[in-house]
Amino acid sequence: MHVPDGFIDAPTSAVAGVVAAGALAVSVRGARRELDERTAPLAGLVAAFIFAVQMLNFPVAAGTSGHLLGGALAAILVGPCTGVLCVSVVLLMQGVLFADGGLTALGVNITDMAIVTTVVSYAVFRGLLAVLPRKRRSVTAASFVAALVSVPAAALAFTLVYAVGGTTDVALDKVATAMIGVHVLIGIGEAVITALTVSAVIAVRPDLVHGARGLRQRLRLRVNGALVDAPAPVTPVTARTSRRTLWVTGLVTSVVLAGFVSFYASANPDGLEKVAHDKGIDEKAEKHAAAGSPLADYGVKDVSDPRLSGGLAGVIGVGVTVVAGSAVFWAVRRRRGADVSPASTAGTGV
């Protein structure tokens, strides 16, 4: 769903850029509350993992493919505000280094793929957890549904942006029907990937999953004939692996996916590309400003072997994304520490 340059006119792209900048500013402030010394390193890894899995296009139907958007996954693992930053880091790396997603359309892409998917998915996720049993399986089930809903929501958001600033004259109902229809199918793949990943992390480190906090089973006491929750959990959270082991495992998995498995990804156009070609939305598409990048189109310039070229590009992308993401979240985390002054804790008893 990476929108290229030329799909959306300049005024609308500018407004989307302002919206994205404002949302990122709010997300930075929110991420300071979500991140701590345990979860900050995980956020950079989540960004790298999303980058890697986005290289794995899977076939959908009628010559169309799809790939992970990642908003739901990031929001559930590290929190909605941090999740917006994770996906935004990925989009920035893809646009600047790999010529994937227009630079003038960066605000549109962040608004659509980072903000809409994260906000919608996390709202659905929290709504479901409010009515489901307080169990880890509920987190996995809610993750599936939230991710499933987030993809057609992003497709609808693009349709609305196109309705305001589309550069071609295509009937809006045709765009909406085609976009939402194919992205419902892509959403199934998104849901499976998200649920499996969340389930895997919960199995070894439930304490690191933002969406699983507060779901520990509490001791039930009978008071005056009524059952009430005791304040302390029945059992402490048991970590099956260290944070370092989880981080290394996640990074190695990302490298393998981007560097090796990506070679076998579907070569069919993704949902937006297919709809744009079939409906004529791409008539005024512009050449990417970074088309001459050494890593454009996810290949390394002057490396003739396609398997080696794509694999190297994927590994480089994972490395750059994890470094950039970790730097961003380290800075956000450090800023949080700077904000905690003696005055802010006075009278709290801390």
Side-chain angles (χ1 to χ4, degrees):
M1 201 178 290
H2 295 75
V3 179
D5 295 318
F7 276 28
I8 306 298
D9 63 27
T12 306
S13 296
V15 171
V18 172
V19 171
L24 290 176
V26 172
S27 296
V28 167
R29 294 179 63 87
R32 292 175 191 164
R33 297 189 299 270
E34 294 171 351
L35 294 170
D36 55 31
E37 67 280 356
R38 298 177 307 155
T39 57
L42 181 63
L45 177 62
V46 169
F49 182 78
I50 290 173
F51 174 90
V53 180
Q54 282 197 3
M55 293 184 66
L56 307 180
N57 282 47
F58 49 85
V60 179
T64 308
S65 70
H67 63 70
L68 181 80
L69 297 185
L73 177 62
I76 294 164
L77 288 180
V78 294
C81 293
T82 307
V84 169
L85 299 181
C86 280
V87 181
S88 297
V89 167
V90 174
L91 293 173
L92 180 61
M93 295 299 103
Q94 291 171 331
V96 172
L97 298 179
F98 298 91
D100 189 9
L103 296 183
T104 62
L106 183 59
V108 174
N109 284 322
I110 289 177
T111 300
D112 191 24
M113 296 177 64
I115 299 169
V116 171
T117 59
T118 301
V119 171
V120 170
S121 64
Y122 201 70
V124 172
F125 176 78
R126 279 300 173 193
L128 289 173
L129 286 188
V131 298
L132 292 173
R134 296 164 59 90
K135 297 181 179 180
R136 294 176 187 173
R137 284 180 293 182
S138 297
V139 176
T140 302
S143 299
F144 183 95
V145 177
L148 177 63
V149 173
S150 70
V151 179
L156 177 60
F158 167 79
T159 303
L160 295 176
V161 172
Y162 176 81
V164 174
T167 56
T168 54
D169 186 17
V170 180
L172 186 60
D173 58 337
K174 294 182 179 179
V175 175
T177 301
M179 282 293 293
I180 296 173
V182 70
H183 283 91
V184 167
L185 299 178
I186 295 173
I188 297 174
E190 177 103 10
V192 171
I193 295 170
T194 300
L196 289 176
T197 305
V198 170
S199 178
V201 179
I202 286 181
V204 295
R205 288 303 299 258
D207 57 313
L208 297 182
V209 178
H210 181 89
R213 295 177 182 177
L215 292 181
R216 304 175 189 175
Q217 292 294 319
R218 296 185 181 277
L219 178 65
R220 303 279 287 177
L221 301 177
R222 187 173 295 277
V223 178
N224 296 327
L227 288 175
V228 297
D229 287 334
V234 177
T235 57
V237 173
T238 301
R240 297 185 180 181
T241 187
S242 67
R243 280 179 286 158
R244 176 177 296 180
T245 300
L246 176 64
W247 196 91
V248 171
T249 302
L251 183 60
V252 171
T253 301
S254 300
V255 169
V256 171
L257 291 175
F260 300 97
V261 181
S262 63
F263 181 78
Y264 302 99
S266 173
N268 291 330
D270 67 21
L272 176 58
E273 292 173 329
K274 179 67 172 175
V275 172
H277 177 74
D278 290 348
K279 304 301 180 183
I281 298 175
D282 59 355
E283 290 180 359
K284 295 186 179 180
E286 300 173 2
K287 183 178 180 181
H288 200 287
S293 166
L295 298 173
D297 297 324
Y298 298 95
V300 177
K301 188 177 181 180
D302 298 330
V303 176
S304 58
D305 183 272
R307 185 190 299 267
L308 179 60
S309 178
L312 286 175
V315 172
I316 293 171
V318 168
V320 171
T321 303
V322 75
V323 170
S326 297
V328 168
F329 298 118
W330 177 83
V332 171
R333 168 62 184 157
R334 184 172 181 176
R335 180 64 179 172
R336 172 186 174 178
D339 288 343
V340 180
S341 63
S344 66
T345 57
T348 63
V350 178

